[in-house]
């Protein structure tokens, strides 16, 4: 169980947290431009697929965007960011994701996880069935130690001494 927690913590460090600078983007599907980064927020405009926008910030699963129809928030999953290594907002995660790819393009599809509010977290309920799915990634202590040794990682006691 501790190995799962360590793996999740290590991987979460690799996820992009924010868009670093204004970046050009395009909607990939018809989507609403909202006043706040919330599904129930008032709609500023309905943006057809292919609408050009400028991304200025990110909050959870939403991008702050400026369009010809106004300013607001769009769902991250409905947007394709303009790619290319010279563009602002690029980071090491994009490179990491492309390492296993045999073909490369100048377009990156923006994906992410749903942003959670404090209220979402208060109302969260345990889902044992989903948690059990993590068991398929479990390895034995011996396998973990062997893998660590191959990578030059040494054991260290943390906590009470």
């Amino acid at each position: 169980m501790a190995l799962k927690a360590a793996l999740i913590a290590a991987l979460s460090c690799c996820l992009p947290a924010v868009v670093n600078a204004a970046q050009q983007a395009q909607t990939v599907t018809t989507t609403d431009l909202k006043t706040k980064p919330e599904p129930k927020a008032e709609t500023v405009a309905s943006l057809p697929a292919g609408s050009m926008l400028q991304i200025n910030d990110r909050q959870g699963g939403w991008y702050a965007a400026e369009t010809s129809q106004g300013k607001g928030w769009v769902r991250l999953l409905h947007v394709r960011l303009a790619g290319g290594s010279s563009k602002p907002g690029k980071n090491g995660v994009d490179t990491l994701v492309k390492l296993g790819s045999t073909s490369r393009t100048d377009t990156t599809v923006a994906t992410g996880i749903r942003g959670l509010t404090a209220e979402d977290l208060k109302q969260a309920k345990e889902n044992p069935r989903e948690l059990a799915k993590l068991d398929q990634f479990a390895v034995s202590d011996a396998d973990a130690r062997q893998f660590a040794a191959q990578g030059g990682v040494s054991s260290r006691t943390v906590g009470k001494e």
Side-chain angles (χ1 to χ4, degrees), residues 9 20 46 54 63 73 76 80 85 88 100 118 123 127 129 139 143-144 147 149-150:
N20 296 326
S46 180
Q54 181 176 320
Y63 283 135
W73 294 84
L76 180 138
R80 178 181 304 124
S85 59
Q123 294 179 6
N127 188 336
R129 190 172 50 194
V139 297
D143 287 342
F147 180 78
Q150 289 172 347

Side-chain angles (χ1 to χ4, degrees), residues 64-128:
E66 290 182 42
T67 74
S68 60
Q69 297 177 5
K71 293 182 182 182
W73 294 84
V74 293
R75 290 178 187 253
L76 180 138
L77 294 175
H78 297 184
V79 174
R80 178 181 304 124
L81 300 176
S85 59
S86 63
K87 300 284 184 185
K90 295 297 260 183
N91 58 38
V93 174
D94 183 59
T95 303
L96 180 64
V97 169
K98 287 184 178 180
L99 282 177
S101 173
T102 56
S103 65
R104 297 183 184 201
T105 66
D106 287 341
T107 303
T108 302
V109 176
T111 58
I113 57 173
R114 178 177 168 238
L116 298 175
T117 65
E119 189 61 30
D120 291 334
L121 293 174
K122 287 179 187 174
Q123 294 179 6
K125 303 238 183 310
E126 182 179 320
N127 188 336

Side-chain angles (χ1 to χ4, degrees), residues 25-32 46-53 69 78-80:
Q26 186 175 26
T27 58
V28 293
T29 185
T30 299
T31 190
D32 289 334
S46 180
L47 305 174
S51 296
M52 298 304 296
L53 37 100
Q69 297 177 5
H78 297 184
V79 174
R80 178 181 304 124

